[in-house]
């Protein structure tokens, strides 16, 4: 196979020894492409750096430069240019149109990172951020950017990635109306049904508020809140988060009110010394099926099992009428995750409920469930639209990265059978439970690692008519891409929470994969031709004020896929 024989779609290089090492930089000299390749695979940057190494214009570490922010890019950082040289730098919390002085903190391949020193003129679309923590909390970075401008920036980011990383032409995207306008989120606050707060022994206070710090008062300095941007060990104390539900804020206030009381003998976990009891507070909001009102789960993650220590907190929160469940996940490891090796019910029931597209779901403390339920309704209806089901009950759906089975289950009534695959065992047992709860009998859920499939994977289910693939941020593994390119189902609906890896995978599926025959002669595999056409790409805003972007893509098998 040679590139010349490939009709309208090209081939992309992949090293066989490191299939994820995407050599995007080989094909593009634009700084955006290097940023995008970092999003697609952060670990590849160092090895790819030399390709785009700029020569003379590179500002030095510590140097201050005048900058203009042009757009939002990776992790919501501002993509900025040095005013006189046009050199590209990235700056956290710089917003489109803002002119400012920045100090270079580090060099990253073909660009540099800066921190903002002083704003010369503010960005376009400036609004007041309603949250008191907005200017330094790691959660919402763009609250002071008008929502319409946030949407424009997200849409632009997806378009740029699909062009630079996905290698789709602008004219192709426009003339065939592939790229759709972003779907806004109709509520921009209180949309999250799950928040995780951390306990810490010493609250992090931004420079401008240092005077308010209670120096010398150890207990008053204990923190319960969100991590300071970029730090796993620094916690910003928060009493309210505008992204979670009002009842969840009531719980947070109730706990903040009492957990530092010395008589209770509670201590926050210290991630350095590994001492202390309270690790995290997770709040999940569902919906009571009888009343339609919010129903809450409070989950304390602790380093050991000492229910007697938690009892005063349990009493306080269970007095809030919306609280239906109080759980304790015990995580004895030094790691700081919220999933415990053991789980105990301290009050009420071990799961809460939620409805999505007419179905009922049981949510346990650690099961994955779409975080914005309301917008998940919109997302799932777009997925169903793209799936283009005939509705005669004849089709087979393969639901990859199925989580608790929500997507497949919402399609089940219109198809012959749904086969779901997912790596987390707990999610699979929740999926079975969800099928049972909704009396769905034509769905099979299997636990398995989709990064480790081999050629026999397809023997586990009948040939699908539709594949839904909804991977997490790293996107699809090359083994799965190769499997799909060989399987050649008529349509794939690719749902992505990371437009960079989405663009990369669309490139592979549509344009193919070319193995690096020069470097990896011994392990050279056959090149694989792309065999899909990108029919539509729909960005959806699930998380206002944050950099996250969801996309629903429809891929159709080409006419002559062989
Ligand atoms: C974005 S979530 C999608 C969940 C589900 N489709 C939904 O809408 O609720 C991605 C899911 O992929 C699962 N996952 C991640 N890596 C995986 C792997 N290597 N193999 C199988 N599943 C994986 C995660 O556990 C998670 O449930």
């Amino acid at each position: 196979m040679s590139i010349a024989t490939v009709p309208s779609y090209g081939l992309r290089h992949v090293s066989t020894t490191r299939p994820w090492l995407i050599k995007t930089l080989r094909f593009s000299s634009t700084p955006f492409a290097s940023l995008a390749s970092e999003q697609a695979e952060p670990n590849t940057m160092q090895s790819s750096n030399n390709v785009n190494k700029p020569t003379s214009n590179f500002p030095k570490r510590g140097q201050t430069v005048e900058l203009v922010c042009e757009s939002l890019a990776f992790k919501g950082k501002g993509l900025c240019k040095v005013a006189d040289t046009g050199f590209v730098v990235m700056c956290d919390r710089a917003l489109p149109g803002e002119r400012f002085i920045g100090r270079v903190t580090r060099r990253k391949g073909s660009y540099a990172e800066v921190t903002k020193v002083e704003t010369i003129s503010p960005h376009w679309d400036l609004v007041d951020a309603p949250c008191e923590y907005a200017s330094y909390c790691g959660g919402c970075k763009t609250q002071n950017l008008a929502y319409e401008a946030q949407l424009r920036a997200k849409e632009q980011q997806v378009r740029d990635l699909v062009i630079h990383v996905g290698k789709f032409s602008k004219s192709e995207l426009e003339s065939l109306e592939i790229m759709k306008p972003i779907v806004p989120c109709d509520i921009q606050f209180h949309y999250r049904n799950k928040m995780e707060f951390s306990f810490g022994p010493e609250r992090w206070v931004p420079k401008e508020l240092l005077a308010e710090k209670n120096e010398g008062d150890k207990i008053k300095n204990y923190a319960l809140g969100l991590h300071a941007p970029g730090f796993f060990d620094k916690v910003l104390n928060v009493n309210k988060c505008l992204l979670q539900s009002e009842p969840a804020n009531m719980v947070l206030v109730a706990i903040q009110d009492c957990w530092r009381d010395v008589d209770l003998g509670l201590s926050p976990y210290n991630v350095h010394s590994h001492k202390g009891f309270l690790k995290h507070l997770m709040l999940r909001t569902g919906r009571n099926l009888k009343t339609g009102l919010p129903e809450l789960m409070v989950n304390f993650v602790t380093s050991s099992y000492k229910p007697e220590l938690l009892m005063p907190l349990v009493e306080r929160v269970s007095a809030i009428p919306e609280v239906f469940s109080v759980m304790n996940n015990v995580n004895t490891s030094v790691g700081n995750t919220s999933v415990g090796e053991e789980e105990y019910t301290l009050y009420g029931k071990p799961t809460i409920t939620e409805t999505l597209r007419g179905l009922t779901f049981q949510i346990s403390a650690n099961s994955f469930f779409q975080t914005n339920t309301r917008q998940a309704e919109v997302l799932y209806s777009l997925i169903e639209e793209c799936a283009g089901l005939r509705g005669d009950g004849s089709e087979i759906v393969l639901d990859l990265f199925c989580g608790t089975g929500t997507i497949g289950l919402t399609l089940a009534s219109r198809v012959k059978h749904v086969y779901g695959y997912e790596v987390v065992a707990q999610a699979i047992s929740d999926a079975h439970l969800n099928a049972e709860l909704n009396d769905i009998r034509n769905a099979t859920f299997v636990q398995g690692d989709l990064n480790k499939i081999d050629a026999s994977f397809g023997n586990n289910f009948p040939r699908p008519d539709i594949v839904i693939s909804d991977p997490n941020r790293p996107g699809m593994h090359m083994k799965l891409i190769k499997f799909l390119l060989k399987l050649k189902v008529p349509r794939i609906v690719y749902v992505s929470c990371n437009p960079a890896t989405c663009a990369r995978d669309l490139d592979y599926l549509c344009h193919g994969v070319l193995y690096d025959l020069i470097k990896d002669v011994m392990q050279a595999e056959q090149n694989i031709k792309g065999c899909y056409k990108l029919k539509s790409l729909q960005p959806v805003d699930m998380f206002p004020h944050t950099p996250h972007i969801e996309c629903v893509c429809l891929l159709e098998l080409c006419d002559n896929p062989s």
Side-chain angles (χ1 to χ4, degrees):
M1 184 191 299
S2 75
I3 295 177
T5 61
V6 182
S8 59
Y9 34 91
L11 290 163
R12 304 290 170 245
H13 288 257
V14 168
S15 155
T16 47
T17 49
R18 298 176 63 192
W20 289 108
L21 209 156
I22 309 150
K23 297 186 176 136
T24 315
L25 294 175
R26 265 193 202 174
F27 302 95
S28 173
S29 59
T30 65
F32 197 93
S34 70
L35 296 172
S37 76
E38 182 190 12
Q39 298 182 58
E41 175 49 62
N43 296 331
T44 64
M45 276 309 293
Q46 278 75 29
S47 49
S48 315
N49 282 348
N50 298 338
V51 184
N52 264 4
K53 207 178 265 180
T55 47
S56 55
N57 289 336
F58 215 109
K60 292 192 172 55
R61 199 160 167 238
Q63 189 180 336
T64 49
V65 275
E66 185 178 327
L67 298 158
V68 182
C69 177
E70 302 219 322
S71 58
L72 290 184
F74 182 44
K75 290 188 178 169
K77 289 183 181 178
L79 192 148
C80 315
K81 286 197 175 154
V82 178
D84 48 358
T85 61
F87 185 81
V88 171
V89 302
M90 300 294 287
C91 181
D92 206 19
R93 293 180 190 273
L95 295 168
E98 183 173 3
R99 184 174 280 272
F100 66 103
I101 305 290
R103 176 170 292 114
V104 178
T105 52
R106 62 177 172 163
R107 180 182 180 145
K108 272 202 127 193
S110 60
Y111 68 97
E113 291 210 334
V114 300
T115 52
K116 206 191 289 181
V117 177
E118 186 192 345
T119 297
I120 300 170
S121 55
H123 61 84
W124 313 312
D125 309 301
L126 183 74
V127 293
D128 284 336
C131 174
E132 61 178 296
Y133 311 106
S135 49
Y136 36 82
C137 172
C140 296
K141 288 192 174 178
T142 51
Q143 244 189 54
N144 61 349
L145 185 64
Y147 185 55
E148 290 67 30
Q150 292 181 31
L151 291 173
R152 275 200 306 275
K154 288 185 179 186
E155 198 176 293
Q156 186 59 39
Q157 200 183 331
V158 175
R159 187 177 290 107
D160 286 345
L161 285 165
V162 178
I163 292 170
H164 293 292
V165 177
K167 308 289 187 298
F168 292 88
S169 73
K170 192 163 177 267
S171 60
E172 182 182 5
L173 292 179
E174 278 166 11
S175 63
L176 301 174
E177 294 182 0
I178 292 170
M179 171 104 191
K180 313 286 180 209
I182 190 165
V183 178
C185 187
D186 64 356
I187 49 164
Q188 285 115 47
F189 291 98
H190 307 294
Y191 60 77
R192 279 192 73 97
N193 56 31
K194 178 182 164 192
M195 282 297 293
E196 187 179 306
F197 302 97
S198 296
F199 292 91
E202 195 176 351
R203 65 179 65 190
W204 176 78
V205 178
K207 261 193 244 142
E208 57 271 33
L209 299 181
L210 272 177
E212 291 175 21
K213 203 170 170 186
N214 302 293
E215 287 300 350
D217 189 333
K218 187 177 156 208
I219 292 182
K220 271 195 186 152
N221 268 329
Y222 282 176
L224 167 58
L226 296 162
H227 285 272
F231 293 98
F232 77 102
D233 57 349
K234 293 184 178 165
V235 179
L236 169 76
N237 193 65
V238 302
N239 296 316
K240 186 175 185 170
C241 172
L242 293 184
L243 297 192
Q244 66 175 356
S245 69
E246 284 300 355
N249 275 320
M250 284 161 62
V251 172
L252 181 60
V253 168
I255 292 169
Q256 286 285 30
D257 258 6
C258 67
W259 77 276
R260 291 180 189 81
D261 186 339
V262 278
D263 295 339
L264 302 188
L266 293 165
S267 57
Y269 185 75
N270 184 322
V271 289
H272 294 294
S273 67
H274 307 301
K275 292 201 173 109
F277 178 59
L278 293 169
K279 286 187 159 184
H280 305 285
L281 168 71
M282 187 200 279
L283 304 178
R284 298 195 89 149
T285 308
R287 199 178 341 206
N288 187 285
L289 298 180
K290 282 194 199 120
T291 62
L293 295 172
E295 112 169 355
L296 254 76
M297 172 184 282
V298 180
N299 176 22
F300 293 103
V301 182
T302 57
S303 59
S304 56
Y305 181 55
K306 291 178 186 153
E308 67 288 356
L309 279 182
L310 290 174
M311 271 315 141
L313 301 185
V314 176
E315 273 167 30
R316 283 291 290 263
V317 298
S318 58
I320 297 170
E322 287 88 350
V323 173
F324 281 73
S325 162
V326 182
M327 304 300 292
N328 179 198
N329 265 255
V330 180
N331 182 335
T332 58
S333 74
V334 291
N336 209 18
T337 61
S338 59
V339 180
E341 304 104 46
E342 289 162 20
E343 186 174 273
Y344 301 90
T345 306
L346 302 180
Y347 168 79
K349 47 185 193 164
T351 56
I352 52 170
T353 47
E354 183 51 280
T355 54
L356 194 53
R357 292 191 62 76
L359 299 183
T360 301
F361 294 96
Q362 296 265 26
I363 303 167
S364 58
N366 295 315
S367 53
F368 178 90
F369 191 76
Q370 290 285 341
T371 329
N372 180 345
T373 316
R374 206 169 151 134
Q375 195 69 337
E377 291 272 354
V378 175
L379 185 77
Y380 283 20
S381 71
L382 287 166
I383 294 169
E384 185 166 352
E385 216 174 279
C386 281
L389 301 174
R390 285 195 291 270
D392 57 4
S394 66
E395 290 156 302
I396 300 287
V397 172
L398 182 60
D399 182 6
L400 299 174
F401 307 93
C402 66
T404 50
T406 42
I407 297 179
L409 291 174
T410 57
L411 302 177
S413 66
R414 305 184 60 208
V415 304
K416 185 171 181 191
H417 206 95
V418 173
Y419 292 86
Y421 282 83
E422 158 67 44
V423 75
V424 177
Q426 171 76 47
I428 288 295
S429 69
D430 284 347
H432 287 136
L433 207 77
N434 289 329
E436 213 176 292
L437 201 68
N438 292 285
D439 201 21
I440 294 172
R441 288 154 200 214
N442 59 340
T444 304
F445 296 105
V446 181
Q447 192 224 333
D449 187 341
L450 291 166
N451 293 350
K452 295 186 179 158
I453 56 166
D454 56 28
S456 68
F457 180 54
N459 301 338
N460 300 312
F461 40 82
R463 189 180 160 71
D465 300 284
I466 296 129
V467 170
I468 315 269
S469 183
D470 183 11
N472 50 3
R473 291 187 61 77
M476 293 198 287
H477 193 279
M478 183 52 69
K479 285 183 178 164
L480 187 56
I481 302 259
K482 281 166 67 180
F483 171 78
L484 292 175
L485 284 172
K486 283 188 183 139
L487 188 67
K488 294 186 173 54
V489 296
R491 38 179 62 198
I492 298 175
V493 182
Y494 188 171
V495 187
S496 163
C497 55
N498 181 349
T501 51
C502 174
R504 177 201 64 196
D505 293 349
L506 292 178
D507 178 35
Y508 288 147
L509 291 167
C510 297
H511 306 136
V513 181
L514 175 64
Y515 283 84
D516 194 327
L517 298 175
I518 300 162
K519 265 195 160 177
D520 303 301
V521 172
M522 301 307 290
Q523 298 169 58
E525 295 183 39
Q526 263 197 333
N527 298 331
I528 306 174
K529 242 178 173 181
C531 57
Y532 282 93
K533 276 183 295 208
L534 179 60
K535 297 299 283 186
S536 73
L537 194 168
Q538 173 73 76
V540 181
D541 188 25
M542 306 281 291
F543 304 107
H545 317 300
T546 77
H548 302 292
I549 314 171
E550 198 84 11
C551 290
V552 181
C553 313
L554 171 60
L555 293 147
E556 275 180 10
L557 196 63
C558 294
D559 292 338
N560 299 306
S562 62

